[in-house]
């Protein structure tokens, strides 16, 4: 099954400024750390901080913006400041770790295209606010775009395992869930568009698996900012996850692959709530594209990939693929030198 | 939120320790300068671990009445020096809703015309969950230029049902941006105080101090200690084990909980935080934050509870 | 002998131009790219609004009748498998070069090159080209035709089983600014209603739903056809389909909003047919360039005077008939053909009596 239209997105080859993600940092920190580890493995030049070891990176205000407590002008300024930090470090490509961030950066970028007078205003405000200038970046790509670009290289040169059943070599059946803010807000800026987005499907194929389509593939995970984070509203999130699980079930998926921090959390963790509420156990392992890459690269499931942070156990999937793990390390931090990384330093 | 302090670190001063346990009433007496200085002293207290610096007290500050009161003082002071966007939002909030739709930077690009094709509602996950929710109806009201209908919408519960997913955006036959329009209308609802008319609208006060508090004080809209297992029983027992051990687990995975560094949980240097705050301030957001504060206080007084009780109430109501 | 007229396109419009010119004593060169005369009408199962009650069994029968009339007059020089490759000169002294190597002096040129249906592959949300049971109206029309591959039976392409549930999606590729198609394609409501009604007539226990935004059955007899379809049990649901998805057995799930009751709609069908709108004929750009004429914002050939001379192209001596200005019913193509023939004859008589 292939995408019926190809978008012509340019993914630069090298040099990425990576604004870190609030959601990943808070709930799924390894996913973000692995981005930098993969970039190192590929020998890419990247930076997530600013001058000096301490971070000059702030959040993009995406959650506040979609949570309706941040003015658009504040968001424009905060993002412009991040671009200025990137430019200071000599980076023209912004590659946010977070999908909502990707959309926020892209939205700012587009606003300047639609309303050129805005560049003058924001430049002036930014100077007055923090003595910086507005420098519009050349490319804005999500970190998963970069992994997509190098998916074959990773498979051929670095991966120790493939997405296949170790007993008979059968490709594993993997469904994807592409973050709404990756493919829907600016579909022309995604790989393959909103309906047949290839950013994860392509990785699944390259890494040996079979990408399986299902009716509610494009349905939102229900994160909804104010919906999942304010407890009384969370029924919405659970209902969305349930809808997706029910829809994918007939295809017997063996894993769910995500590229968005929120989706990775919701699709994994709300499976518990769904079990409690409906009595039905789905237990479909849910991984982000970097977690999956890390596992296939042979990086330690607990020490590097952090599968202990997952609600649905990943271990059965590891057994199927034949990835070794040492259960005694689940909670026990190992000495740094014990972390097994294919040629990269921890 | 249950506050867990696994290792009670020294705040470095007896006075600061007292402030941390004070409620709003007690804090009222403390002058601004003293309060801010005390907050920063606690926040910046550091412990050297290997090459990294760790800040053991951040965990004690987040989400406290002390932090909220300190934020209020800072916002109030900053609003005394008006800037262009602050002036704009102050002016805009007195204009009719129809004016806002034609002038607000997001709204004025978001809305063209409507064919009433229903594709937005068809694709909308919120419309599939909340029977009374229909984003097409929101477009219809916005295009009607009927002030009474707009006010009714801004006071409604349904305005807050949108999950800001953007599923409607790529499919609209008339290229409207409903996600942006709805967010813009919610902003207006709060500026005008209409959000107080709905349970979901009132939650915005908690949202301001949760995400706004994190941004304002930790340069990040989500703080890793927010997502507790007590607050998220839906995440299951394995997450509870993970979160109980979060500092060690995060460190092990290469993140930087409450410490210097580049990735998850990091504490940014004060200069970076200061730049961020100035960006937020120049963009006019503080007008909204101040409005939320005034309106919450009025609302709390009307029902005879303290602002801290109000904060906890709106967060759990719904 | 009167000057010849070159007619490009041998569909019903082109044939009608040649026929009427013939009855007026004007000879013509009729250039048709395909091996057959008749154009798109050849594959129509039946014709709205009167369902072949006009004496023809199907489109092919009707086209054959037109062709018989045309050949009987025998003033048309018919070139099949041929197209226009060049043109020199000015009205009324053109010289046209054809792909079969011939060239002819003509006094005027008539474009009757018809239309192409919109290719829905690019509208990703419908899964056309990916899900076998999502088809186009042109494919459905052929399936409903007794001369067609299924002998007129509705069959699921994925497994060959009989189909009882048919969903028809209106306005595919039309009335959509997002894909730069702000126009209405004018007859898809009518042909879809014909198709839906036909299915219900043949199988009263079928479930047929039309997803529409407005039912534009605008001409004489059309509205009556619409109400007859409803009487036969066709369901009309007001809302644009926002996505089609394949279910495990190959059936297609359809999502829309039922806008009349403001509720989301989700339904399952054996076959979903996309009522694709109009696009200009495939070599519209090349033809416009050879003939030196303009096109409208919808891509179709432009007429110079909207009210007085609706069939004049933007250059003297070049005329347009039938669906080359946009999709229309057969009857209007026939009317176009006759009026173009009259106008061309009159103008040629003025310049060379
Ligand atoms: C699904 C469907 C159902 C329909 N059902 C009905 C119905 O029931 N009743 C009704 O009244 N109408 C119906 N129609 C409309 C009908 O098909 C048109 O009115 C009719 O086909 C138009 O005739 P035309 O001659 O203008 O164009 P066409 O039929 O498109 O013929 C154009 C001809 O020009 C030729 N041509 C194109 N380019 C060149 C070139 N460069 N050189 C030489 N030759 C060229 C083509 O090969 C073709 O033969 C239906 C249409 C569709 C899509
Ligand atoms: S952005 Fe809001 S209105 Fe649009 S589809 Fe998502 S929930 Fe619905
Ligand atoms: S998708 Fe666009 S045109 Fe259609 S009903 Fe919604 S807002 Fe209107
Ligand atoms: S004729 Fe009907 S189906 Fe075709 S574009 Fe117009 S309204 Fe849509």
């Amino acid at each position: 099954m292939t995408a019926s239209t190809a978008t012509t997105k340019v993914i630069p080859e090298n040099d990425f400024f990576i604004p870190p993600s609030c959601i990943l940092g808070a709930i799924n920190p390894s996913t973000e750390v692995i981005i930098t580890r993969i970039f190192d493995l590929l020998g890419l030049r990247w930076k997530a901080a600013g001058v000096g070891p301490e971070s000059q990176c702030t959040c993009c205000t995406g959650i506040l913006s979609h949570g309706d407590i941040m003015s658009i002008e504040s968001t424009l300024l905060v993002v412009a400041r991040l671009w200025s930090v990137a430019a200071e470090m000599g980076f023209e490509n912004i590659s946010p770790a977070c999908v909502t961030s990707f959309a926020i950066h892209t939205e700012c970028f587009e606003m300047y295209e639609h309303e050129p007078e805005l560049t003058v205003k924001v430049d002036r405000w930014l100077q007055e606010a923090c003595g910086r200038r507005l420098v519009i970046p050349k490319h804005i790509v999500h970190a998963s775009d970069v992994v997509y670009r190098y998916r074959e290289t990773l498979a051929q040169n670095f991966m120790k395992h493939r997405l296949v059943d170790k007993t008979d070599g059968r490709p594993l059946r993997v469904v994807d869930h592409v973050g709404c803010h990756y493919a829907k807000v600016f579909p022309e800026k995604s790989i393959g568009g909103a309906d047949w987005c290839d950013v994860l499907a392509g990785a699944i194929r390259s890494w040996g698996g079979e990408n399986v389509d299902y009716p509610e593939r494009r349905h939102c995970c229900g994160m909804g900012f104010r919906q999942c984070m304010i407890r009384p509203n969370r029924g919405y999130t659970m209902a969305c996850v349930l809808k997706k699980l029910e829809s994918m079930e007939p295809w017997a998926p063996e894993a769910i692959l995500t590229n968005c921090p929120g989706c990775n959390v919701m699709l994994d963790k709300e499976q518990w709530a769904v079990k409690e509420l409906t009595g039905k156990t789905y237990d479909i392992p849910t991984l982000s594209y970097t977690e999956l890459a890390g596992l296939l690269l042979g990086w330690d499931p607990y020490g590097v990939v952090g599968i202990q942070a997952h609600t649905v156990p990943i271990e059965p999937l590891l057994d199927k693929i034949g990835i070794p793990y040492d259960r005694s390390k689940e909670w026990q931090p190992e000495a740094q030198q014990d972390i097994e990384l294919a040629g990269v330093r921890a | 939120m249950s506050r867990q302090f696994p290792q009670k670190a020294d705040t470095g001063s007896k006075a600061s320790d007292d402030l941390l346990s004070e409620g709003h009433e007690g804090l009222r007496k403390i002058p601004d300068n003293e309060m801010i200085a005390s907050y920063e002293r606690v926040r910046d207290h550091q412990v050297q671990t290997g090459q990294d610096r760790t800040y053991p007290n951040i965990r004690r500050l987040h989400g406290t009445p002390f932090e909220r009161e300190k934020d209020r003082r800072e916002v109030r002071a900053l609003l005394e020096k008006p800037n262009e966007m602050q002036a704009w939002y102050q002016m805009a909030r007195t204009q009719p809703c129809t004016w806002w739709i034609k002038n607000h930077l997001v709204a004025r690009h978001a809305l063209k015309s409507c064919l009433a094709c229903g594709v937005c509602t068809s694709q909308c996950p919120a419309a599939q969950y909340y029977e009374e929710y229909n984003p097409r109806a929101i477009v219809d009201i916005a295009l009607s230029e009927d002030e009474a209908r707009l006010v009714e919408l801004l006071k409604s519960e349904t305005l807050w049902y949108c999950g800001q997913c953007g599923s409607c955006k790529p499919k609209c036959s008339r290229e409207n941006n409903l996600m942006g329009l709805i967010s813009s209308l919610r902003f207006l609802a709060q500026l005008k105080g209409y959000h107080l008319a709905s349970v979901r609208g009132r939650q915005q006060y908690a949202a301001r101090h949760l995400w706004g508090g994190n941004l304002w004080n930790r340069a990040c809209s989500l703080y890793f200690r927010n997502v507790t297992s007590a607050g998220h029983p839906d995440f299951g027992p394995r997450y509870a084990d993970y979160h109980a051990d979060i500092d060690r687990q995060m460190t092990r995975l290469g993140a930087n909980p409450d410490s210097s560094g580049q990735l998850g949980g990091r504490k940014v240097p004060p200069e970076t935080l200061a730049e961020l705050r100035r960006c937020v301030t120049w963009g006019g957001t503080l007008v909204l934050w101040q409005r939320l504060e005034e309106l919450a206080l009025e609302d709390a007084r009307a029902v005879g509870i303290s602002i801290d009780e109000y904060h906890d109430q709106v967060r759990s109501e719904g | 002998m009167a000057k010849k007229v070159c007619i490009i396109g041998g569909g019903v419009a082109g044939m009608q131009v040649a026929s009427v010119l013939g009855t007026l004593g004007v000879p013509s060169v009729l250039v048709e790219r395909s091996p057959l005369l008749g154009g798109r009408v050849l594959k129509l199962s039946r014709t709205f609004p009167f369902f072949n009650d006009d004496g023809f069994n199907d489109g092919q029968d009707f086209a054959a009748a037109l062709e018989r009339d045309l050949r009987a007059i025998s003033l048309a020089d018919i070139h099949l498998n041929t197209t226009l490759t060049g043109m020199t000169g000015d009205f009324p002294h053109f010289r046209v070069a054809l792909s079969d190597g011939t060239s002819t002096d003509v006094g005027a040129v008539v474009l009757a090159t018809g239309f192409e249906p919109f290719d829905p592959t690019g509208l990703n949300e419908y899964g056309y080209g990916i899900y076998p049971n999502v088809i186009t109206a042109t494919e459905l029309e052929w399936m409903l035709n007794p001369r067609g591959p299924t002998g007129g039976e509705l069959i699921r392409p994925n497994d060959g089983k009989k189909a009882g549930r048919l969903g028809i999606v209106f306005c595919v590729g039309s009335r959509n600014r997002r894909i730069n198609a702000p126009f209405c394609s004018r007859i898809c409501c009518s042909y879809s209603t014909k198709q839906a009604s036909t299915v219900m007539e043949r199988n009263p226990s079928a479930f047929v739903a039309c997803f529409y935004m407005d039912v534009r059955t605008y001409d004489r007899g059309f509205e009556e056809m619409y109400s007859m379809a409803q009487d036969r049990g066709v369901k009309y649901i007001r809302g644009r389909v926002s996505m089609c998805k394949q279910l495990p057995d190959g059936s297609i799930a359809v999502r829309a909003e039922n806008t009349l009751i403001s509720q989301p709609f989700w339904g399952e069908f054996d076959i979903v047919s996309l009522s694709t709108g109009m696009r200009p004929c495939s070599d519209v750009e090349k033809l416009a360039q050879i003939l030196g004429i303009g096109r409208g914002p919808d891509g179709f050939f432009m007429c110079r005077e909207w009210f007085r001379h609706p069939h004049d192209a933007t250059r003297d001596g070049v005329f347009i008939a039938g669906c080359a200005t946009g999709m229309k019913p057969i009857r209007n193509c026939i009317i176009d053909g006759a009026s173009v023939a009259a106008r061309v004859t009159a103008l040629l008589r003025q310049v060379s009596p």
Side-chain angles (χ1 to χ4, degrees), chain B residues 113-121 135-136 139 168 171-176 178, chain C residues 257:
Chain B
S113 58
C114 175
L115 178 60
C117 68
V119 161
C120 47
T121 302
R136 178 174 58 80
V139 170
C168 49
K171 300 297 177 201
C172 173
S173 309
R174 292 281 168 86
E175 300 184 292
N176 295 324
L178 277 72
Chain C
E257 185 200 354

Side-chain angles (χ1 to χ4, degrees), chain A residues 20 22-23 25-27 29-30 32-33 36-37 46-49 53-59 61 63-74 76-78 81 111 114-115 118 121 124-126 128-130 132 180-181 184-187 194-195 216 219-220 224-236 238-240 243 265-266 269-270 272-273 302-315 327 329-334 336 339, chain B residues 53 55 84-85 88-89 104-106 108-109 123-126 128-130 160-167 169-171 177 179 182-184 186-187 190 200-201 203-204 206-212 215 219-224 227 230-239 241-242 245-246 248-255 260-269 271-273 275-276 278-285 288-289 292 314-318:
Chain A
C22 300
I23 311 179
I27 320 180
S30 63
E32 184 166 84
V33 181
T36 67
R37 290 184 159 152
W46 63 270
K47 195 87 182 138
E54 276 193 311
S55 178
Q56 285 180 279
C57 269
T58 69
C59 123
T61 75
I63 294 182
L64 291 96
S65 172
H66 294 295
D68 321 301
I69 55 166
M70 178 92 352
S71 76
I72 182 67
E73 293 82 3
S74 294
L76 281 163
L77 277 161
V78 171
R81 184 191 159 276
M111 277 199 164
H114 288 147
E115 216 165 312
L118 204 58
K121 265 197 200 170
R124 176 162 50 80
W125 293 336
L126 193 63
E128 294 188 57
C130 43
R132 295 175 176 274
C180 290
H181 287 202
K184 291 178 185 168
V185 183
F186 299 100
D195 296 284
E216 296 293 5
H219 198 275
C220 176
F225 306 93
R226 65 190 327 287
Q227 315 295 10
C228 77
M229 293 182 212
I230 297 175
R231 194 165 164 183
N233 310 348
R234 211 171 287 155
Y236 171 69
M238 295 172 192
C240 286
K243 185 167 235 166
V265 171
M266 297 308 145
K269 305 210 169 355
E270 295 298 345
W272 175 266
Y302 300 114
V304 177
V305 180
I307 61 167
Q308 66 276 27
H310 282 253
T311 292
V312 176
I314 304 297
E315 288 81 350
R327 196 86 216 213
K329 286 199 200 161
E330 182 174 0
W331 301 113
Q332 194 49 55
E334 50 292 288
Q336 280 298 303
I339 294 180
Chain B
R53 283 181 305 259
Y55 299 84
E84 197 177 320
M85 278 324 294
W88 192 88
Y89 280 108
H104 182 241
L105 181 53
V106 175
R108 73 167 184 254
H109 290 292
Q123 286 297 94
C124 173
Q128 289 164 38
Y129 181 70
Y130 302 107
W160 303 94
Y161 288 158
C162 163
Q164 290 286 296
C165 65
S167 302
K169 189 172 179 248
K171 300 297 177 201
N177 169 11
M179 173 172 75
I182 292 165
S183 183
S184 169
R186 288 172 172 181
F187 202 92
Q190 298 167 84
R200 299 244 165 175
Q203 292 170 343
Q204 287 303 97
R208 144 71 184 100
H209 282 290
L210 175 65
W211 306 320
L215 184 80
C220 186
S221 50
L222 255 199
Y223 178 50
F224 61 94
V227 195
H232 271 276
D234 47 327
F235 282 7
R238 202 182 193 193
Y239 181 76
D241 289 346
Y242 168 80
D245 194 28
I246 193 154
R248 277 188 344 145
Q249 296 298 329
M250 279 178 76
T251 311
R252 164 195 206 190
L253 294 170
S260 54
Q262 305 190 14
L263 298 172
R266 70 196 177 283
K267 179 186 188 289
V268 302
E271 315 80 72
T272 295
L273 189 64
E275 280 191 28
L276 169 79
R278 289 199 297 270
C279 288
V280 172
T281 306
W282 271 89
T285 293
L288 175 73
W289 289 8
L292 284 171
V314 297
R315 195 177 47 180
S316 50
E317 241 177 22

Side-chain angles (χ1 to χ4, degrees), chain B residues 15-210:
Chain B
S16 300
D17 263 341
D18 290 346
L19 289 181
L20 267 170
S21 49
E22 274 298 353
H24 182 65
E25 292 310 309
L27 291 168
R28 273 234 304 255
K29 302 182 291 278
I30 323 268
D32 291 8
N33 293 349
E34 199 178 300
M35 174 168 275
I36 292 167
S38 176
Y39 182 94
E40 288 178 356
R41 194 164 53 241
V42 177
R43 182 192 68 193
D44 295 337
H45 175 71
Q46 48 173 274
V47 178
Q48 195 81 25
T49 44
Q51 278 132 298
D52 293 329
R53 283 181 305 259
T54 304
Y55 299 84
N57 287 323
I58 296 175
R59 72 181 69 194
R60 309 188 60 201
L61 292 167
H62 84 94
T64 56
F66 176 30
E67 185 175 280
R68 291 199 293 273
E69 178 60 15
K70 186 229 32 144
D71 283 9
R72 282 178 204 117
R73 310 270 184 106
E74 284 170 339
V75 169
R76 219 177 295 146
L78 285 166
L79 279 167
E80 276 162 23
K81 292 169 266 168
N83 64 38
E84 197 177 320
M85 278 324 294
Q86 281 175 359
W88 192 88
Y89 280 108
Q90 293 286 18
M91 176 273 295
R93 87 181 171 82
T94 63
Q95 301 290 326
C97 304
T98 39
W99 182 91
W100 172 274
I101 292 171
K102 287 178 185 157
N103 289 280
H104 182 241
L105 181 53
V106 175
R108 73 167 184 254
H109 290 292
L111 202 55
K112 288 169 181 133
S113 58
C114 175
L115 178 60
C117 68
V119 161
C120 47
T121 302
S122 170
Q123 286 297 94
C124 173
Q128 289 164 38
Y129 181 70
Y130 302 107
E131 236 178 85
E132 47 313 6
Y133 184 64
N134 186 315
R136 178 174 58 80
I138 294 182
V139 170
D140 186 61
I141 295 169
L143 287 170
S144 74
E145 302 192 21
D146 178 335
E147 203 59 20
R149 285 182 79 199
L150 273 159
V151 170
E152 192 189 333
L153 171 70
L154 298 193
K155 288 182 173 174
S156 72
E157 212 63 70
T158 49
L159 180 66
W160 303 94
Y161 288 158
C162 163
Q164 290 286 296
C165 65
S167 302
C168 49
K169 189 172 179 248
K171 300 297 177 201
C172 173
S173 309
R174 292 281 168 86
E175 300 184 292
N176 295 324
N177 169 11
L178 277 72
M179 173 172 75
L181 173 72
I182 292 165
S183 183
S184 169
L185 290 175
R186 288 172 172 181
F187 202 92
L188 176 65
Q190 298 167 84
L191 283 179
K192 286 193 173 285
Y194 296 152
H195 69 296
L196 292 183
S198 69
V199 174
R200 299 244 165 175
R202 289 194 292 272
Q203 292 170 343
Q204 287 303 97
Y205 185 63
R208 144 71 184 100
H209 282 290
L210 175 65

Side-chain angles (χ1 to χ4, degrees), chain A residues 6-14 16 92-95 102 138-142 145-146 148-149 182 188-192:
Chain A
T7 42
T8 49
K9 173 163 186 165
V10 180
I11 308 164
E13 197 182 338
N14 202 348
F16 301 99
E92 291 183 318
N93 306 323
I94 311 288
S95 180
F102 166 70
K138 206 183 230 162
H139 295 290
I140 295 165
V141 291
H142 184 245
D145 288 324
V146 182
Y148 180 83
R149 180 183 171 130
Y182 173 77
E188 65 287 358
K189 302 280 163 96
S190 69
I191 294 168

Side-chain angles (χ1 to χ4, degrees), chain C residues 289-320:
Chain C
Q289 198 206 336
I290 294 176
L291 299 174
I293 58 172
R295 294 160 64 195
D298 57 7
F300 287 85
F301 298 117
M302 186 119 93
C303 64
R304 187 163 43 184
E305 273 192 65
W306 185 254
F307 288 118
R308 275 203 316 157
H309 299 304
H311 301 108
D312 291 21
T314 55
R315 174 174 181 182
D316 282 352
V318 183
F319 303 86
I320 326 162

